[in-house]
Amino acid sequence: MNFEKTENGFIRRWGGETLRVEAYGANAFRVRGVMTHDLADTDYALLPPGKSDSQIKIYENRAEITNGKITVVAEESQWWGDSLCKLRFYNQHGVLLLEELNAGGALTLKSRRYKSILGGDFSITASFEAKPNEKFYGMGQYQNGMFDLKGCALELAQRNSQASVPFVLSNLGYGFFWHNPAVGRAVFGKNITEWHAESTKQLDYWITAGDAPSEIVENYAAVTGTVPMAPEYALGFWQCKLRYWNQEQLLETAREYKRRNLPLDVIVCDFFHWRKLGDFRFDEEFFPDPAAMTDELREMGVELMVSVWPQIDFTSEAYREMKSKGYLVHAEKGTEATMFVGGPSAPYDATNPEARKYVWEKVKENYYSHGIKIFWLDEAEPEYFGYDFENYRYQAGTNLQIGNLYPRLYCKGFYDGMTESGQKNVMNLARCAWAGSQRYGVLVWSGDIRSTFGDLKNQICAGLHAGIAGLPWWTTDIGGFTGGNPNDPAFRELLARWFQFGAFCPVMRLHGDREPRTRPL
């Protein structure tokens, strides 16, 4: 017998692979597998599941677990001295929901493939049988305009306007979460459904079943987290543009809203209100009295949100100290400058708890102390000028292995600091997210999209998929970010239609880089 019963499931060992299947939350299982080393209790996004009332049966060549509305069956088969083990998942009515890839007879295909990488880790692929009538939804935010993801191949990586959250909802009655922050891909093909991590240590996924999509998404939220209560100012209109270059220009905009009796709840101070990226403070020449600015806005019933970037300019006040303490993302080779906006810069390492604390203390001193309690966490992927994922290393591991965690931990640093300061109902705007980001008060927006009707269409699908993937707080740049001349009748039509869409988004927020520019960046 290769199956060993555990408290909530079983472990199977064969040929160097250790496979563990366990009940994990309501109507759900967690599946982990490793080759030639021990299983790790990683908590990238999954919260402790609590107790499960699972029923476990172990036979000579077969194991079964039932956990509420889902059952998994593991069955061994022999082929020329090798012992294969295939997993099948059923609902409470005995209907097959998902099954691992068949061996294909003499093809000897393997549903769990561990391809070794020099240095000791693996690229790992999990393959499942495809069903022609299956439809897929979720996966976060992609700019492809597809609502049914069947037939799509999706990159599991973060980019400007792309937030990869690897949870998918199937119309067959199950949800599947690839609990792996490695860069990779998901393929929902006609002949195969496949999940791949380019560099990782173990296979790790979670699957749940339910009678309705809402129940499946609730099961997922129970193990990855839910959003806090939304603050009241989130329910109004947010005014934003690229950019207000001084304090008086920003204040006069808010005053004009009030003179015209237009509703305004939040106004945004966008990037380069600082001297250098990484200073984490207002430029005193153009914003001489942030506290007075915040006070005047609050008297008008308006909250001030400020933009914060993770990039640290090589000539900024904080660079040498952060570099000496190992708080910056490290390049494996070549220059460590990953962006050139105002000067060469590199992002701080948000996977390092001490780096997160360091940045928050700067933000607390220079923004939060002035009454600012909502932040625009831009560049949250983080953005690279050239997404060479294999060339960057964080404290928690290489970018290839854990890079998708970055936006979640970037936002966690602010959420932790704000809640420890006594703030409730935290909401911060971020340009990217991963599974579990929602529990840190993240409002995702869809990035630097273009001002076209095609891009507006794409945002409708992107927002629906983001919500299904556990990100209920989501919005866009009304009007699109790039381009758009207010004197162009076609853009005016687009802006009106986008406002209509924005009114039905969780947060209604205007933003954009409009032509012609009145002042250089």
Side-chain angles (χ1 to χ4, degrees), residues 350-505:
T351 75
N352 183 333
E354 292 302 316
R356 293 198 300 269
K357 182 178 179 181
Y358 177 93
V359 168
W360 169 250
E361 289 301 322
K362 293 283 188 183
V363 169
K364 182 178 181 180
E365 177 183 0
N366 297 319
Y367 296 122
Y368 201 75
S369 65
H370 297 311
I372 297 166
K373 62 181 182 181
I374 179 170
F375 295 95
W376 181 358
L377 306 182
D378 207 343
E379 302 285 320
E381 304 81 20
E383 184 171 11
Y384 295 106
F385 278 13
Y387 289 97
D388 299 319
F389 299 113
E390 71 280 0
N391 194 38
Y392 303 115
R393 183 178 293 273
Y394 306 124
Q395 185 192 68
T398 67
N399 195 326
L400 276 182
Q401 288 196 347
I402 56 87
N404 287 324
L405 274 180
Y406 190 97
R408 185 173 75 80
L409 295 175
Y410 176 34
C411 295
K412 182 180 187 298
F414 281 73
Y415 177 85
D416 288 347
M418 294 163 79
T419 54
E420 288 169 6
S421 298
Q423 185 171 334
K424 300 183 184 299
N425 302 341
V426 171
M427 174 183 277
N428 290 318
L429 184 69
R431 203 175 68 182
C432 199
W434 195 66
S437 287
Q438 66 274 9
R439 63 183 187 248
Y440 300 122
V442 172
L443 164 65
V444 180
W445 100 94
S446 58
D448 295 346
I449 52 178
R450 297 167 300 162
S451 298
T452 70
F453 275 99
D455 282 72
L456 172 57
K457 174 181 178 292
N458 288 347
Q459 303 324 299
I460 298 171
C461 288
L464 291 169
H465 285 308
I468 291 170
L471 300 172
W473 290 353
W474 181 89
T475 187
T476 70
D477 291 350
I478 290 177
F481 174 73
T482 303
N485 189 332
N487 296 318
D488 181 357
F491 175 70
R492 291 185 177 187
E493 169 72 10
L494 173 66
L495 188 61
R497 299 305 178 198
W498 212 310
F499 259 102
Q500 292 171 329
F501 172 60
F504 289 93
C505 289

Side-chain angles (χ1 to χ4, degrees), residues 144-160:
N144 56 23
M146 303 287 184
F147 187 50
D148 177 10
L149 298 175
K150 180 72 169 181
C152 291
L154 302 178
E155 179 189 46
L156 302 180
Q158 315 295 9
R159 296 175 183 256
N160 184 346

